[in-house]
Structure formats: structure tokens, C-alpha cells
Amino acid sequence: MINKSTLVDIVDRYSLDKQVETVKWAVNNKNLVVDFMTPTRDCIGKVECNDFDLEDSELGIHNTSQLNKLIKITSGDLLVEVEKRNNIPAKLLISDQFFNLAYTLGDPVLFDKVGEVKEPENYQAVIEIGDEDINNFSKANDALQDNDNVIVNTKVDITDQKVISFSFGDITAHTNKVEYNIPCDYTGELQSIPFNSKLIQTILRANKSGEKALMSINEGGLMKLEFSDRELKSLYYILRKG
């Protein structure tokens, strides 16, 4: 049995508000791994569940939004099974006390391959992100209408404390801006690195239930976000804009 909330959490963490639709679910020894990449190729990630009660299989999910709609009408613990044709997964069967659902699977061989990220030797800043930071990041981004830009810098604040500065808004001088600072004992300077603020906000919101969250930033323009709790782990690599 798999709890509905766990399934919804998995889908939310990789679909990123309907940005990612086509993925492979790889199940091995009750461990689920979903590798994914956004259509714009500015984010590559992975979601894992270490207690996924399904037989070993590789499932082609070609329309995640439709699957999510099916899952959301269910409740409680779910029986999840794979229906095969000629020993090939053809349908994902999901049932609870009231509903029996069937989701048609695609052929994972036909799906695009997820890209690979060359991990840098080190990150100049590693920040432990808390619920307050997630909420404040969202507030700052929402305060500027149609904004999708955040500039990352290292600096020392007025109390001589090292911080990572997140400046929301267009890079031009004559625009509205919001700056949010998070204390961080960084090991090297980060100078005006632009990232997609809406993408980061979506990832943070999708992983709000995580018990631990880390943000790592490399001077070359790579951000890594890691989230973990008892059952789920998720990892995101975000490329700088421009």
C-alpha cells in the first residue's frame, strides 16, 4: 500500500507545477527513482522514495497532469499495481475504498533522455533553508508582479555578518526591487549571478514538507537544492539565466 499524500508529494516534487509531464518511474526493491528535466533545460533533478510498495518495473508516465488528477480523487492508503501485456507494463492500476483507476502507460524507450550535470568540485555558499526562508523567498518574489529574476551576491550586512543576498527584480537600475538576505559563512565570492526566481519558488513550495533543505551555489552559475525527510529525497540543479 502507498499513501495518497506520498504519491501526490512525489508528483508535485518533479512536475513543478505542470512544467514536467513526461518521465520514467524506475522501481527497484521498493525504491522509486524519477529523473526529470524541465522543457527549457534549465533544471535537472531527481526524486526518490525509499518505501514504494510496487513490483520492480520501469513505467512510462507520458501525461503527469492526468495522472495527478486521478490520484487526487482518491483517499487514504492506495493499492498500486502494474498491469502488463506481453510482459511489458501497460497500465498503472490505483484503487482505494471507493475508486478503481487505470492510467495508460507510455513506452519509456521513446522518452527523451534526461541530461547529466557535471558536479563542480566545490560550492562557494551552502545554506540550510528553513520554513521562514521558504516563505520569505515566496513573499519577495510575489511582491513584484511578473518578476522571474533574482540576482545572487555575497556581501557583509550592516552588522558585519556574512550573508547571501537575493535581489528580486529586473537588473536595470530604474525598477522596483526587493532584497532578502540569509546568513551564510560563504567561502568565496558570488557576483551578480541571475537565476529564475519563479522556478526556485516553485521548487521550494513543492518541497515545503521536507524536514531538511540545503541550497548550494557555485560561482560558475549552478545552484543545487536538496530536500530530505523520512521517505522522500529530491535534488535539483538549476542553471543561471543568460
Side-chain angles (χ1 to χ4, degrees):
M1 304 292 283
I2 301 171
N3 192 269
K4 172 191 173 177
S5 62
T6 299
L7 267 183
V8 171
D9 221 1
I10 290 167
V11 171
D12 286 346
R13 291 189 186 204
Y14 80 73
S15 65
L16 300 179
D17 197 21
K18 301 181 182 180
Q19 292 187 61
V20 178
E21 290 285 350
T22 303
V23 292
K24 300 176 187 178
W25 288 16
V27 184
N28 182 31
N29 196 26
K30 293 192 176 181
N31 185 68
L32 169 69
V33 176
V34 182
D35 292 304
F36 62 91
M37 179 170 60
T38 56
T40 51
R41 298 178 179 268
D42 56 349
C43 177
I44 292 174
K46 175 184 295 187
V47 175
E48 297 181 69
C49 179
N50 61 22
D51 186 19
F52 198 78
D53 191 13
L54 190 68
E55 65 180 283
D56 290 1
S57 51
E58 187 175 70
L59 311 178
I61 308 297
H62 59 88
N63 187 334
T64 291
S65 293
Q66 180 60 70
L67 175 61
N68 205 21
K69 288 179 181 178
L70 293 175
I71 295 171
K72 287 187 174 180
I73 72 170
T74 64
S75 60
D77 290 330
L78 310 177
L79 177 62
V80 182
E81 302 173 291
V82 177
E83 180 183 293
K84 296 181 179 179
R85 294 176 185 166
N86 299 321
N87 209 35
I88 297 174
K91 290 185 178 181
L92 188 64
L93 307 177
I94 302 172
S95 56
D96 67 1
Q97 184 180 359
F98 304 104
F99 295 105
N100 295 309
L101 312 175
Y103 175 80
T104 301
L105 299 167
D107 186 350
V109 175
L110 302 178
F111 290 6
D112 291 337
K113 185 177 179 180
V114 174
E116 297 182 0
V117 175
K118 185 177 180 181
E119 187 91 23
E121 292 184 3
N122 54 70
Y123 291 88
Q124 282 63 49
V126 179
I127 315 164
E128 188 163 347
I129 303 295
D131 290 342
E132 185 177 24
D133 296 314
I134 293 174
N135 290 333
N136 287 340
F137 192 99
S138 292
K139 288 178 182 178
N141 193 57
D142 290 341
L144 298 175
Q145 189 175 12
D146 298 325
N147 174 65
D148 67 353
N149 204 56
V150 60
I151 306 297
V152 177
N153 284 284
T154 50
K155 61 183 292 187
V156 177
D157 67 12
I158 58 175
T159 65
D160 289 330
Q161 183 180 33
K162 285 183 172 182
V163 298
I164 302 297
S165 168
F166 298 88
S167 180
F168 298 82
D170 194 80
I171 59 174
T172 58
H174 302 289
T175 57
N176 297 321
K177 296 183 185 298
V178 176
E179 184 176 301
Y180 177 60
N181 297 327
I182 301 178
C184 175
D185 190 20
Y186 53 82
T187 59
E189 290 189 358
L190 303 172
Q191 296 185 349
S192 300
I193 305 176
F195 289 100
N196 186 320
S197 61
K198 289 187 180 294
L199 175 59
I200 297 172
Q201 181 182 30
T202 299
I203 292 171
L204 292 176
R205 285 178 171 173
N207 290 271
K208 200 170 183 179
S209 62
E211 296 174 0
K212 185 177 180 180
L214 288 177
M215 175 186 288
S216 304
I217 308 171
N218 176 267
E219 62 187 350
L222 181 67
M223 177 183 292
K224 178 167 70 171
L225 291 168
E226 302 170 272
F227 305 87
S228 60
D229 51 36
R230 187 174 62 85
E231 291 182 335
L232 298 179
K233 292 193 302 182
S234 43
L235 169 68
Y236 307 83
Y237 292 100
I238 305 170
L239 299 179
R240 64 174 291 161
K241 293 178 69 175

